[in-house]
Amino acid sequence: MNQTQEVGYVQSSRDFLVYLDGLPSIKINDLVENEQGLRGWISALLKNQVEVLMVDSGKVTPGQMFKRLPARLSINVGDYLLGRAVNPLGIAIDGKGPLTRSKTTNLMELEQVALGIRSRQFIKEQFTTGVSLIDCLIPLGKGQRELVMGDAHSGKTGFLIDLIVNQSKLNRTSNKPKKTICIYASIGKPAASVRNLIDVLRANKALEYSVVIAASSSEPAPMIFLTPKAAFSVAEFFQRNGHDVLLILDDLGTHAKIYREMSLLGFKSPGRESYPGDIFYQHAHLMERAGSFKAGFGGASITALPVIELDLNDFTTLIPTSLMSMTDGHLLFKSSLRNQGLQPAIDIFLSVSRVGRQTQDRLTNSISARIRSTLTQAEELQTVSSFSAELPIQTQLILRQKRLLDEILKQDPLTYIPKEVQVIMLSLVYTSFLKDKDHSFMEKYKNNLINAFLTNPTFNNITKSFYTFKSDQQLINALEAETAKLNELCPS
Amino acid sequence: MEVFLPVTAIVISSTLALIFLVLYLKERGSGHENLHIDLKDLDPGGQKNYQLLNEAIKKSQEMLSASESESLKMIANSKTNIQKLEEEHTKELEGYIKQFEESIKNTSAQVSQSINLASSQFNTFLQQLAEKSQQFEAANEQATTVRIEKMLDQLETKLSDFLLESEQKTTGAIDLELQSTRQLIETYKQQQLKLIDENIISMMERTMALVIGKRLTLKDQLDLVYESLEKAKLEKFII
Amino acid sequence: MNNLWQKIITNTYTVKTLKNRVRFLRSYLNRAKFDQNPNKEQNLSPEELIWIESLAEEHLLDVDTKSVSPMMDELDEMVEKTEALTVYFPFDPPSEEIDTLGSWMRSNFGKSELIMDIKYDPALIGGCALVWKGLYRDFSVRKKIQDEKQQILDSFRKYAPNS
């Protein structure tokens, strides 16, 4: 047994940045620990020194000895993570006791090279969210990276929580052996909001298939910086075991700021907006780890939803534009829409999903094309309508359809609507049942209609035979046939 | 009826003509003497009229008599026709009734025949059935007694086998359990011993650190240091 | 320059002493060359004075005001470059013994300019632990105990009542 151990002595230290000498054969991402047990990881190898970023907060003085640890920067992964909240190094932070280590504990390195093209497959399956606006108009695919951006208080976090809760509902009702796992990475958020999130998830019984990886804003910057890497490593573990994974990174703007802080402290040259030159790499190499993988590489998929908060007056700053270019689409949240009562407050015209369309079935695709054209026409006619008192009938119809569609697309938080019912509800706008009805009618009867299409045997057959319809016109005709019964159900 | 209407029309029209004529004649008759005078007095037109009237009177009288005779003929005819029809109908009806009665008689005869046949067959069948069931019962009884005896024998053997087997199994299981618990105890013992060993070592280290640190003289310390340095030299630690 | 360096390093065996001596030399020279009042008392201890005076004759005569700074900077650089062997002692050795140790090391390890960086670790019980070029190796009594653990335990077991 080799009895020598590599050590290094502190030459200089600056907050969480420590420079050591010695450590002759150390590599980047190895771990070192000092006599007080404070750990750090090697971030750079300079000519005569080694740069270490401390993950534990404590006083580091020159002359202290740091020993090299046998471990590299990694996290323990396993099924025991489900339902728990951990920090990026794998220590439990939810107060439910230490993580039970089963025999099949794996150590996943935080820094992984993303799998290459050979391992990827075409994104064919839709990622069902249970939110009408997303599933019909801006569909997501399994393995897609979709940027969630918006200004403050526009309902992004609420929407993301809805996604997690709906996935857990889907998990409970489906009989697939491998469930969808949700991983929420909280990057530099206050400890109270992390606590809040865990409580909300527990109250909605969504923790069973979720993992929370959090570094609160009081942790040292390197710890916060490691959070997305840890989240991706955990996601990759589950993906390699055949589970589909939903990974939410909230938010990457804070991550970029933390990285800027670390780089400026380390005297790296600042670039645009004082961010270091490799900020794009830091985000891009993370995003590349998501995707849809072939069976030989675990099958399944990792769907990544990075979040960024921005100023809507100017979203041409560096980080949002970089993120937009490295993701497969974005969802734009506006607080103004939220104040008008639209929830989720997504601007349909400014949001895009580049990969989602190929995953939608033909019927939903044609309905969504119809809806989009109606909404576009209504936008154009909106200005006209404010001028003229007496509008032609066609214009009135389109405007009324738009208001009905808006009303149907509104969805209360923590509600789940199956995809078939979503499309049926949206198709109702094009039937004679809603031809003369106003959006207040829809406001009154929306829930009744949704319940009817879910449970009422008279209407249930349409829902059950949803996939037999070959075109949107067929579906509309089928709904026309039920107009009388619908009128009975909803007396005006 | 159809003949009746035109006949009556003719009769009525002719009687009316007659009445008119009689009245006219009466009127004229009051001045009967005047008639001839009238005739002479009359102009050629009037004379013609008189002639026409006479012809008309004759014709109508002829017509009346003809129609009367015709009507009397028709009445007689119709009466005879009606009588004939009635006779025919009654004949036909009687014929039908007779046929119907015959057919009923035939069918009832057939039905009663078939009923008799069926009941006789049924009776024979019942008899056969009764015989068969009796035979079957007897055979069954025999077979069941034989089988019961066989089963009892089998049961005996099986029970004894089972008891033997279960005995073996339980003893085997108990042995295994015992073994595993012994093993568990062993491993626990080993673990505890290891812990104790480690405790001993650490205690020793601590005591030595305290005691020897104080007791060793400088010379001893230095000797130890030189020993370590020799070791380092041997291992070529400093290159 | 080299001569001066050689003179300094010959009887300096620890990093601390080396740095201190260089520092004294710098302040002495600054005073000697730049101070308006050369007769002002210098705050040096007798050993230091002796040492500096031993240097003074041979090597410092030809030092003038211009070459003081660069010479001292060069000396500092050479100090930085010197490889230090970090030694962990469980006790605090007196300076003569340190010198003896130092010269022993220099002759036995074949490094004529070896200097020690002395640190104190009482948990080592006896002997020492060395760190050379970033590699830490424990040669102390503590390590010996850990290595001989089994034998020690066996001998303890002899005294155990049961087994």
Side-chain angles (χ1 to χ4, degrees):
Chain A
M1 190 174 78
N2 191 5
Q3 293 164 332
T4 52
Q5 180 167 49
E6 293 192 17
V7 294
Y9 290 92
V10 179
Q11 300 287 307
S12 59
S13 80
R14 203 181 303 127
D15 208 5
F16 45 76
L17 199 59
V18 174
Y19 291 94
L20 309 174
D21 68 352
L23 295 168
S25 69
I26 202 138
K27 294 188 271 297
I28 293 195
N29 282 341
D30 280 343
L31 281 174
V32 291
E33 189 184 47
N34 78 350
E35 293 129 343
Q36 284 113 27
L38 302 176
R39 290 163 307 174
W41 53 280
I42 310 297
S43 63
L45 300 171
L46 307 170
K47 186 169 171 192
N48 291 324
Q49 288 180 336
V50 170
E51 187 185 271
V52 172
L53 286 167
M54 300 301 296
V55 287
D56 291 320
S57 43
K59 202 170 157 101
V60 176
T61 52
Q64 278 184 4
M65 181 172 83
F66 271 78
K67 286 202 181 86
R68 180 186 184 178
L69 291 177
R72 279 171 68 78
L73 195 60
S74 49
I75 183 172
N76 275 312
V77 289
D79 286 339
Y80 52 79
L81 282 175
L82 290 173
R84 303 301 302 266
V86 293
N87 77 354
L89 293 176
I91 315 286
I93 56 169
D94 51 5
K96 279 201 267 183
L99 295 168
T100 48
R101 303 276 174 87
S102 60
K103 287 196 183 114
T104 54
T105 229
N106 290 326
L107 210 61
M108 287 281 283
E109 280 206 30
L110 293 193
E111 192 71 52
Q112 299 263 359
V113 175
L115 293 172
I117 287 184
R118 227 167 22 103
S119 62
R120 309 289 176 125
Q121 70 175 5
F122 190 69
I123 294 178
K124 296 189 284 263
E125 239 183 288
Q126 184 174 2
F127 187 88
T128 321
T129 59
V131 177
S132 312
L133 202 135
I134 304 291
D135 286 340
C136 288
L137 298 177
I138 318 168
L140 299 179
K142 283 192 178 166
Q144 183 175 0
R145 292 84 49 94
E146 182 88 356
L147 179 64
V148 174
M149 59 187 199
D151 50 350
H153 300 295
S154 51
K156 299 188 292 295
T157 311
F159 168 72
L160 295 167
I161 292 178
D162 280 357
L163 285 189
I164 300 179
V165 171
N166 284 348
Q167 282 308 308
S168 72
K169 283 188 193 156
L170 266 171
N171 279 339
R172 276 197 288 272
T173 53
S174 94
N175 46 14
K176 269 177 27 177
K178 301 277 187 182
K179 308 287 184 190
T180 306
I181 309 288
C182 302
I183 300 179
Y184 186 93
S186 170
I187 306 173
K189 296 222 172 283
S193 67
V194 177
R195 175 86 251 157
N196 211 12
L197 171 85
I198 296 174
D199 288 339
V200 167
L201 288 179
R202 187 178 298 129
N204 288 292
K205 301 192 184 54
L207 265 187
E208 200 188 332
Y209 293 106
S210 312
V211 184
V212 175
I213 297 175
S216 72
S217 48
S218 56
E219 307 253 4
M223 186 72 103
I224 302 178
F225 174 70
L226 289 175
T227 317
K229 291 193 209 216
F232 264 101
S233 297
V234 175
E236 278 164 356
F237 166 73
F238 283 111
Q239 175 263 316
R240 278 171 208 175
N241 285 345
H243 293 273
D244 287 319
V245 181
L246 170 68
L247 175 56
I248 296 172
L249 299 159
D250 191 0
D251 66 59
L252 283 186
T254 316
H255 179 254
K257 290 197 184 97
I258 290 289
Y259 187 61
R260 178 172 60 183
E261 182 183 321
M262 281 160 48
S263 303
L264 288 173
L265 199 70
F267 289 126
K268 296 212 178 82
S269 306
R272 183 174 159 188
E273 290 176 35
S274 305
Y275 286 105
D278 63 342
I279 186 71
F280 186 92
Y281 163 76
Q282 291 298 332
H283 289 159
H285 91 286
L286 282 173
M287 287 299 119
E288 281 305 313
R289 287 162 80 173
S292 175
F293 299 94
K294 288 192 183 150
F297 297 87
S301 60
I302 301 177
T303 309
L305 288 168
V307 180
I308 183 150
E309 191 170 293
L310 42 71
D311 175 15
L312 275 177
N313 293 325
D314 180 18
F315 51 91
T316 58
T317 55
L318 176 64
I319 304 298
T321 47
S322 304
L323 284 171
M324 273 196 271
S325 70
M326 63 178 83
T327 49
D328 308 316
H330 53 267
L331 299 170
L332 183 61
F333 281 75
K334 282 189 171 160
S335 55
S336 57
L337 290 175
R338 190 178 190 218
N339 294 336
Q340 285 171 25
L342 256 71
Q343 201 169 25
I346 299 179
D347 187 332
I348 301 171
F349 297 106
L350 293 174
S351 305
V352 71
S353 167
R354 299 184 217 279
V355 164
R357 243 165 246 287
Q358 67 210 33
T359 61
Q360 251 183 347
D361 58 280
R362 206 188 313 159
L363 176 56
T364 319
N365 223 344
S366 42
I367 293 280
S368 93
R370 208 185 259 248
I371 293 171
R372 272 181 178 273
S373 84
T374 309
L375 290 173
T376 324
Q377 283 177 320
E379 276 292 303
E380 288 164 16
L381 295 167
Q382 198 77 21
T383 40
V384 173
S385 68
S386 56
F387 280 117
S388 47
E390 188 64 45
L391 296 164
I393 295 183
Q394 192 59 24
T395 313
Q396 280 183 25
L397 177 68
I398 291 182
L399 289 172
R400 207 174 329 117
Q401 280 179 342
K402 176 202 187 295
R403 282 193 285 271
L404 280 167
L405 285 168
D406 278 342
E407 193 57 48
I408 297 176
L409 287 171
K410 274 189 215 175
Q411 194 164 334
D412 287 332
L414 300 172
T415 49
Y416 169 75
I417 305 179
K419 202 160 69 109
E420 299 89 13
V421 177
Q422 290 169 9
V423 177
I424 289 173
M425 288 295 292
L426 289 166
S427 319
L428 277 177
V429 173
Y430 297 100
T431 60
S432 52
F433 168 57
L434 287 180
K435 202 168 170 200
D436 304 315
K437 308 250 183 354
D438 202 2
H439 65 280
S440 49
F441 171 84
M442 183 45 77
E443 205 178 325
K444 200 163 146 200
Y445 287 112
K446 183 162 110 168
N447 286 330
N448 294 3
L449 285 166
I450 292 175
N451 282 332
F453 280 107
L454 276 172
T455 50
N456 192 328
T458 334
F459 302 111
N460 216 352
N461 345 335
I462 301 186
T463 317
K464 285 185 187 148
S465 58
F466 181 79
Y467 291 105
T468 58
F469 293 116
K470 292 203 174 54
S471 74
D472 52 341
Q473 197 51 50
Q474 269 190 10
L475 173 61
I476 292 174
N477 293 343
L479 289 169
E480 285 282 5
E482 304 290 338
T483 310
K485 292 186 197 147
L486 284 166
N487 276 319
E488 266 177 42
L489 185 68
C490 313
S492 43
Chain B
M1 185 69 176
E2 286 154 4
V3 180
F4 193 58
L5 272 169
V7 169
T8 45
I10 293 167
V11 166
I12 289 168
S13 55
S14 49
T15 42
L16 277 171
L18 258 174
I19 293 166
F20 178 64
L21 200 60
V22 164
L23 283 171
Y24 182 66
L25 281 175
K26 262 195 190 165
E27 230 181 85
R28 266 310 205 165
S30 59
H32 190 68
E33 299 86 26
N34 301 335
L35 195 68
H36 292 287
I37 304 163
D38 279 349
L39 260 176
K40 286 172 193 171
D41 291 333
L42 279 173
D43 53 353
Q47 284 175 9
K48 256 209 168 164
N49 283 342
Y50 188 73
Q51 275 178 351
L52 279 170
L53 269 170
N54 282 333
E55 280 172 26
I57 290 167
K58 276 187 205 166
K59 275 195 180 158
S60 62
Q61 278 176 347
E62 282 170 18
M63 275 171 71
L64 256 177
S65 53
S67 64
E68 268 186 49
S69 60
E70 278 292 321
S71 63
L72 283 170
K73 262 193 222 168
M74 276 185 71
I75 288 167
N77 275 339
S78 62
K79 275 191 187 163
T80 48
N81 280 340
I82 286 166
Q83 262 184 348
K84 267 193 207 163
L85 275 171
E86 271 183 28
E87 281 171 14
E88 276 179 20
H89 278 174
T90 45
K91 265 191 210 161
E92 272 185 40
L93 267 173
E94 276 169 20
Y96 282 140
I97 286 169
K98 269 188 201 157
Q99 276 183 4
F100 190 58
E101 276 178 13
E102 273 178 26
S103 63
I104 283 175
K105 273 185 201 161
N106 286 338
T107 46
S108 62
Q110 278 177 4
V111 163
S112 53
Q113 239 184 10
S114 54
I115 284 172
N116 287 333
L117 190 66
S119 59
S120 62
Q121 279 179 351
F122 188 61
N123 282 334
T124 45
F125 177 68
L126 277 175
Q127 272 176 357
Q128 284 174 354
L129 200 63
E131 276 172 19
K132 271 202 185 146
S133 67
Q134 273 175 1
Q135 282 173 359
F136 196 62
E137 240 187 87
N140 221 10
E141 256 185 65
Q142 252 186 352
T144 39
T145 43
V146 163
R147 219 194 294 159
I148 284 172
E149 278 167 26
K150 226 199 270 180
M151 268 173 67
L152 280 172
D153 288 330
Q154 274 183 356
L155 185 68
E156 254 185 70
T157 45
K158 276 210 175 141
L159 198 63
S160 57
D161 286 338
F162 174 70
L163 281 170
L164 262 170
E165 233 185 275
S166 53
E167 209 186 294
Q168 281 174 350
K169 273 196 186 154
T170 39
T171 44
I174 289 171
D175 280 332
L176 272 170
E177 272 298 313
L178 205 65
Q179 245 185 1
S180 61
T181 34
R182 278 206 200 107
Q183 245 183 358
L184 267 171
I185 292 171
E186 268 303 309
T187 41
Y188 178 69
K189 209 164 87 173
Q190 296 294 335
Q191 272 178 356
Q192 289 300 93
L193 281 173
K194 232 199 274 181
L195 260 171
I196 291 170
D197 290 342
E198 272 168 36
N199 278 344
I200 290 174
I201 295 291
S202 63
M203 247 198 324
M204 214 181 92
E205 276 176 21
R206 270 186 296 191
T207 351
M208 279 185 75
L210 286 170
V211 167
I212 289 176
K214 295 205 162 76
R215 290 306 296 254
L216 280 176
T217 59
L218 182 63
K219 187 173 179 308
D220 294 329
Q221 289 273 23
L222 283 170
D223 284 338
L224 282 169
V225 169
Y226 278 112
E227 216 183 293
S228 323
L229 288 173
E230 287 290 336
K231 214 161 122 197
K233 184 177 161 183
L234 268 172
E235 291 184 17
K236 295 212 166 80
F237 184 60
I238 317 278
I239 312 158
Chain C
M1 182 66 243
N2 264 332
N3 288 337
L4 179 60
W5 171 251
Q6 284 299 321
K7 195 76 202 289
I8 295 173
I9 201 80
T10 323
N11 48 10
T12 316
Y13 295 102
T14 63
V15 168
K16 194 166 107 183
T17 334
L18 182 63
K19 286 191 174 164
N20 280 342
R21 283 180 177 178
V22 169
R23 193 162 33 89
F24 295 148
L25 186 59
R26 186 189 271 263
S27 70
Y28 175 79
L29 280 174
N30 281 338
R31 282 205 191 212
K33 301 294 171 183
F34 300 114
D35 203 348
Q36 302 302 324
N37 191 358
N39 292 327
K40 197 165 150 192
E41 203 180 299
Q42 303 226 17
N43 288 337
L44 290 171
S45 68
E47 298 104 18
E48 289 149 13
L49 261 172
I50 294 167
W51 177 76
I52 285 183
E53 265 148 33
S54 75
L55 288 177
E57 286 153 35
E58 295 161 46
H59 304 282
L60 300 178
L61 281 175
D62 50 350
V63 175
D64 59 359
T65 47
K66 276 201 196 136
S67 59
V68 166
S69 266
M71 189 179 84
M72 292 315 300
D73 288 340
E74 224 185 302
L75 262 180
D76 281 334
E77 259 182 52
M78 297 202 71
V79 169
E80 290 298 318
K81 269 197 240 166
T82 323
E83 285 167 329
L85 169 70
T86 311
V87 189
Y88 283 96
F89 285 117
F91 63 105
D92 195 11
S95 47
E96 307 91 28
E97 299 305 325
I98 290 175
D99 288 346
T100 332
L101 273 168
S103 58
W104 185 97
M105 277 192 217
R106 279 185 183 172
S107 52
N108 279 284
F109 291 141
K111 300 241 175 229
S112 58
E113 292 185 1
L114 183 72
I115 46 173
M116 291 189 282
D117 189 2
I118 297 184
K119 289 186 195 277
Y120 182 56
D121 183 8
L124 289 173
I125 306 171
C128 64
L130 300 172
V131 182
W132 178 246
K133 289 200 178 168
L135 290 171
Y136 173 89
R137 187 73 184 276
D138 195 349
F139 294 104
S140 70
V141 173
R142 175 182 67 178
K143 191 75 189 341
K144 250 190 257 176
I145 294 173
Q146 280 171 354
D147 288 343
E148 309 285 317
K149 209 169 28 172
Q150 209 43 51
Q151 286 181 359
I152 297 168
L153 285 170
D154 288 337
S155 54
F156 267 121
R157 225 163 267 145
K158 264 192 259 170
Y159 295 97
N162 298 332
S163 56

